[in-house]
Amino acid sequence: MDKGLISSEVERTSLPRFLAWLLPWVLILGCGIWAMKLCLGQGLFHTNMDNRFAFGLWIVLDLIIIALGAGAFFLGFLTYLMKQKEMREVLNTAVIVGFICYSGAIITLAVDIGQPIRFWYAYWHANVHSMLTEVTFCISIYLMVLAIEYIPIILRNRKLKQIPLFLVLEFNLHRIMFLFAGLGTFLSFFHQGSLGGMFGVLNGKPFAFREGFAIWPTTFFLFILSAIASGPSFIMLISMIVSKLSNKRLVSRDVLSRLGRISGILMSVYVIAKLIDTIAWIVVTAPSSGFDVAEFYRNEPFGTWVLFAELTIFGLLPATILLNRNRTRQTKWLVLGGFLTCFGIAFNRFVVTLQSQSVPVLSFDRFMIYWPTWQEWAIVGAVIAYGVILYSLSFRYLPLFPREKDLQAPRRND
Amino acid sequence: MVIDLDRCTGCGACMVACAVENNLPTPPVEAQDNRGLTWLRVYQCGNGRTFPDFKTVFIPVPCMQCDHAPCIHVCPVTAVDYDTETGIVGQIPERCMGCRYCMAACPYHARTFNWWDPVWPKGMEKSLNPDVSPRMRGTAEKCNFCHGRLHRAREKAASEGRRDLNPGEYIPACVEACPTRAIHFGDLQDSEDPVAKLSKSPHAFRLLESLRTFPKVFYLSRQDWVKDVGKSRLEMLRKDIYRDSESESNG
Ligand code: SF4
């Protein structure tokens, strides 16, 4: 049965080995489901969030995975709209990773909101002025788009494609996929921005507040830029990790290097934009909100090193590495550049979410820090485990890498 | 509302009155201060100097009912609204889905969240205020200047054939309970109202004025350091007020 589901053109590990790989992830998932049951059934007192830290680890996770999931829309955009055909080599992975990221974010949000059954109020009583409304609309519609993009990949399974109806459906869906790529690009552009805008419009939180262009604070644009910079790097890293674990070449070196260089170019634009934005914030925005910028970085662990690390170690450094054509030809540099880019974006989301709440605004308030409970960690673990399991199943039973067979052929040079 | 900080003794009567009036449940012991359900907190802060220069002040902080409230435009489900007639920022718990974006937006920490199912001491649930609906777990809430009292006063006026309320006919519970008469309540738009006059006093200031949220709660103090502490951290730094000391807060 298992063998019959695996494409005849590729080789996969034995079923017992595959199940042994899945087992720890299933346990992590189970632990997270238990934590979800506690939070949904008894209340959010199981977390360490409080009236001051209204947003905690889960919002950090959401912001991170949505940024990293940007590879899905960006590679769709490159493949279908910019006609970069070679990106097809990683497009399936990008779609699945995107689907995992967005569905994972929605699962986390469902636990995070205090009244998850009322989620539909966001559509029914939508407040058009709230950035969160736009995020809700775009993310849920985009998840549907990703599901539609995922279907043709599933229908290419060895057994499923024997059914003529599915074959026709897959063929037709494939022909109109450029439409969904366009729609996905449009939706993603706005919700990636709105996630940044959510924090940038907080005029009551001078650490996060930014002046902007029309209704959009500068964080709107910075979030879009950083997401499209990290998306390709993340897809590149995933492809390399899967390649390593399965001991197979899955994507040509040329495509991996290209993904790295795309990240590098976008990362450099992002770093310049972030630098300008930071200077404007230091000189104009923060003082006009009644703050001396040094105040934001007065308390550890959020000292000045945070700003330095964001701009240099996780900004300038990966941009420099990935912009260099020679370096992107070497695996170690590619991995380092990609990792620093992805970690940097995750670090940025962490800082935006938590530091802006740690820093007191009232002059007679205290600086506070927050540490999540095991339930919060368990749910984060569950989302990661869910992603690993879904991707592993997809890798085993679906033809994800169109050039896999080709790249295994002896003496082939790319 | 105008709160005279030179009169406030920090007794906490306002907090108790607020809790009873608005059916605030008893939070479990683990709630500590940052998960408490108090709609009004009294902060204590000092000038950071040592005896004999030490000075202290108590600052009651209810919802500021800002004219440009940071919480209104962020709520995705329109559960926060601005009543243009009264200027009160209302909260609709029945519509709140508990995303807590409004709490992240409020610089005054005026908002609280129902982390637990509401529980009252045995028997007390029978004496809850019938004018205020209890809130359920998973929703955000905050001070609304005792909206229930406003409704009751309006109904009384209507039953007497009046459209307008008489001065003093509607006051929040904290104002009524304050033993030192430190809290004043009235119509800020009526230039003849004593509260409107107090708000124009040279000793009046608002919390975090630099954020341009335009609160409708004014504070009064004749002590300059208190004004600077209230206005912004930058002001405090400029005047060298307890730069190195942590403030204390209770609530
Ligand atoms: S917690 Fe409730 S009131 Fe606050 S933003 Fe979310 S839905 Fe709106």
Side-chain angles (χ1 to χ4, degrees):
Chain A
M1 165 71 181
D2 174 67
K3 278 242 150 49
L5 288 171
I6 299 172
S7 168
S8 57
E9 298 184 345
V10 294
E11 249 182 58
R12 292 289 177 260
T13 187
S14 68
L15 185 62
R17 274 192 76 175
F18 181 64
L19 292 178
W21 156 256
L22 287 188
L23 185 66
W25 299 107
V26 172
L27 293 177
I28 297 172
L29 183 65
C31 182
I33 291 173
W34 174 248
M36 280 182 202
K37 189 171 164 286
L38 290 176
C39 294
L40 290 172
Q42 297 178 1
L44 289 174
F45 65 87
H46 282 289
T47 69
N48 261 349
M49 287 185 276
D50 57 32
N51 295 334
R52 168 80 167 265
F53 284 96
F55 290 163
L57 180 67
W58 296 334
I59 296 290
V60 178
L61 174 81
D62 282 345
L63 292 186
I64 293 173
I65 58 180
I66 287 181
L68 297 178
F73 96 82
F74 192 58
L75 291 182
F77 168 77
L78 288 179
T79 314
Y80 291 108
L81 306 178
M82 302 301 289
K83 307 282 181 217
Q84 306 269 311
K85 298 287 180 218
E86 67 282 5
M87 288 299 159
R88 280 186 196 282
E89 282 190 39
V90 285
L91 192 59
N92 293 342
T93 278
V95 166
I96 294 174
V97 168
F99 180 81
I100 289 168
C101 289
Y102 280 81
S103 51
I106 287 182
I107 294 168
T108 322
L109 270 180
V111 190
D112 193 16
I113 54 177
Q115 292 283 346
I117 296 172
R118 296 182 181 174
F119 78 94
W120 57 277
Y121 286 12
Y123 307 94
W124 196 255
H125 300 295
N127 173 11
V128 291
H129 303 289
S130 173
M131 288 276 177
L132 191 52
T133 303
E134 209 223 324
V135 170
T136 314
F137 269 75
C138 287
I139 287 188
S140 44
I141 300 172
Y142 184 51
L143 182 65
M144 287 180 217
V145 170
L146 281 168
I148 294 169
E149 289 181 342
Y150 198 169
I151 291 170
I153 306 174
I154 298 173
L155 295 180
R156 260 178 257 148
N157 169 271
R158 187 177 171 185
K159 270 272 178 302
L160 291 179
K161 71 180 176 190
Q162 288 169 1
I163 302 167
L165 174 69
F166 287 171
L167 201 62
V168 174
L169 186 61
E170 193 267 316
F171 179 73
N172 285 321
L173 273 176
H174 195 75
R175 279 169 44 134
I176 56 166
M177 213 37 85
F178 72 95
L179 275 179
F180 290 102
L183 181 61
T185 304
F186 175 77
L187 292 169
S188 295
F189 183 84
F190 278 100
H191 75 243
Q192 292 287 356
S194 296
L195 280 171
M198 263 180 72
F199 289 87
V201 296
L202 297 181
N203 59 324
K205 293 288 163 87
F207 182 79
F209 179 63
R210 293 292 187 281
E211 311 283 350
F213 168 71
I215 58 164
W216 297 290
T218 50
T219 44
F220 181 95
F221 306 100
L222 290 176
F223 264 51
I224 296 173
L225 261 175
S226 55
I228 56 176
S230 66
S233 267
F234 190 57
I235 299 303
M236 174 192 81
L237 286 180
I238 296 267
S239 308
M240 290 169 106
I241 291 169
V242 178
S243 191
K244 186 91 188 149
L245 289 175
S246 62
N247 205 15
K248 286 184 178 58
R249 290 191 65 194
L250 302 168
V251 180
S252 63
R253 155 67 58 194
D254 191 37
V255 167
L256 292 176
S257 309
R258 269 191 100 131
L259 286 171
R261 276 203 303 282
I262 292 170
S263 265
I265 295 166
L266 292 165
M267 201 60 192
S268 6
V269 180
Y270 167 69
V271 172
I272 294 168
K274 171 124 183 109
L275 195 66
I276 296 170
D277 176 68
T278 306
I279 293 170
W281 173 67
I282 291 173
V283 178
V284 184
T285 317
S288 74
S289 301
F291 263 80
D292 173 23
V293 169
E295 278 283 289
F296 296 125
Y297 299 100
R298 198 164 75 104
N299 300 284
E300 292 298 342
F302 296 118
T304 30
W305 69 269
V306 168
L307 189 59
F308 176 78
E310 261 203 82
L311 287 170
T312 55
I313 306 171
F314 302 127
L316 214 53
L317 185 59
T320 319
I321 293 172
L322 294 174
L323 271 182
N324 186 312
R325 195 174 280 269
N326 288 335
R327 288 212 183 102
T328 52
R329 288 206 190 98
Q330 299 172 46
T331 306
K332 62 176 188 223
W333 286 111
L334 208 50
V335 170
L336 180 68
F339 174 78
L340 286 176
T341 302
C342 294
F343 191 83
I345 287 349
F347 187 68
N348 169 261
R349 303 313 192 243
F350 165 81
V351 168
V352 167
T353 311
L354 289 189
Q355 192 168 354
S356 55
Q357 292 171 87
S358 279
V359 179
V361 183
L362 285 165
S363 63
F364 44 85
D365 200 1
R366 289 171 294 179
F367 176 83
M368 283 186 193
I369 47 172
Y370 142 96
W371 186 254
T373 57
W374 75 262
Q375 290 91 333
E376 293 175 84
W377 287 113
I379 291 171
V380 169
V383 171
I384 295 169
Y386 151 77
V388 173
I389 294 169
L390 190 56
Y391 189 87
S392 302
L393 290 169
S394 302
F395 177 67
R396 186 170 178 82
Y397 298 117
L398 307 175
L400 292 199
F401 295 98
R403 290 198 59 200
E404 181 178 348
K405 187 183 167 208
D406 183 21
L407 290 169
Q408 308 318 310
R411 289 192 302 279
R412 167 126 203 146
N413 287 323
D414 294 294
Chain B
M1 182 178 278
V2 176
I3 304 177
D4 189 338
L5 298 181
D6 296 342
R7 282 191 183 196
C8 176
T9 60
C11 69
C14 50
M15 291 174 72
V16 176
C18 170
V20 175
E21 172 72 24
N22 294 299
N23 295 335
L24 298 186
T26 328
V29 181
E30 317 94 84
Q32 297 182 346
D33 54 4
N34 279 325
R35 283 192 183 165
L37 268 168
T38 34
W39 283 7
L40 184 159
R41 285 171 303 149
V42 181
Y43 286 85
Q44 180 188 5
C45 81
N47 64 349
R49 314 235 186 270
T50 48
F51 182 80
D53 299 324
F54 176 72
K55 285 180 183 162
T56 191
V57 68
F58 294 95
I59 310 181
V61 181
C63 172
M64 297 287 125
Q65 314 294 350
C66 312
D67 275 340
H68 286 173
C71 55
I72 295 177
H73 62 271
V74 299
C75 175
V77 295
T78 336
V80 189
D81 71 349
Y82 186 84
D83 183 341
T84 43
E85 194 190 335
T86 58
I88 291 175
V89 178
Q91 178 75 14
I92 311 166
E94 295 75 17
R95 195 184 284 177
C96 170
M97 66 173 184
C99 67
R100 303 185 296 285
Y101 192 15
C102 55
M103 296 171 67
C106 175
Y108 305 101
H109 309 308
R111 294 178 156 273
T112 61
F113 187 69
N114 286 288
W115 303 96
W116 287 269
D117 281 316
V119 175
W120 287 271
K122 202 159 173 42
M124 194 184 147
E125 72 280 359
K126 295 191 190 113
S127 56
L128 294 178
N129 181 356
D131 292 332
V132 181
S133 53
R135 284 75 53 193
M136 66 190 294
R137 182 205 339 140
T139 55
E141 58 181 54
K142 66 165 193 75
C143 154
N144 53 26
F145 279 177
C146 295
H147 211 244
R149 286 184 168 218
L150 172 64
H151 278 293
R152 210 182 314 147
R154 276 183 176 159
E155 277 164 22
K156 182 166 173 278
S159 67
E160 290 168 4
R162 287 182 285 126
R163 288 195 59 180
D164 296 323
L165 300 179
N166 293 326
E169 201 171 359
Y170 151 55
I171 54 167
C174 54
V175 181
E176 191 178 346
C178 178
T180 60
R181 300 259 176 267
I183 315 179
H184 308 266
F185 191 74
D187 186 351
L188 288 172
Q189 282 183 328
D190 176 0
S191 53
E192 292 309 308
D193 192 296
V195 165
K197 286 184 182 153
L198 280 176
S199 74
K200 303 250 163 34
S201 148
H203 304 299
F205 67 95
R206 296 188 273 193
L207 290 186
L208 300 174
E209 281 180 359
S210 51
L211 296 182
R212 293 175 288 277
T213 52
F214 305 110
K216 277 195 278 299
V217 175
F218 289 77
Y219 291 89
L220 283 181
S221 180
R222 281 165 189 78
Q223 306 176 74
D224 286 342
W225 74 272
V226 174
K227 283 187 217 169
D228 295 330
V229 161
K231 279 181 184 168
S232 77
R233 296 184 83 86
L234 193 58
E235 210 67 38
M236 203 177 80
L237 280 174
R238 277 191 196 130
K239 308 273 171 72
D240 197 24
I241 299 166
Y242 74 102
R243 176 179 285 175
D244 299 318
S245 80
E246 276 301 326
S247 65
E248 304 157 40
S249 71
N250 57 32

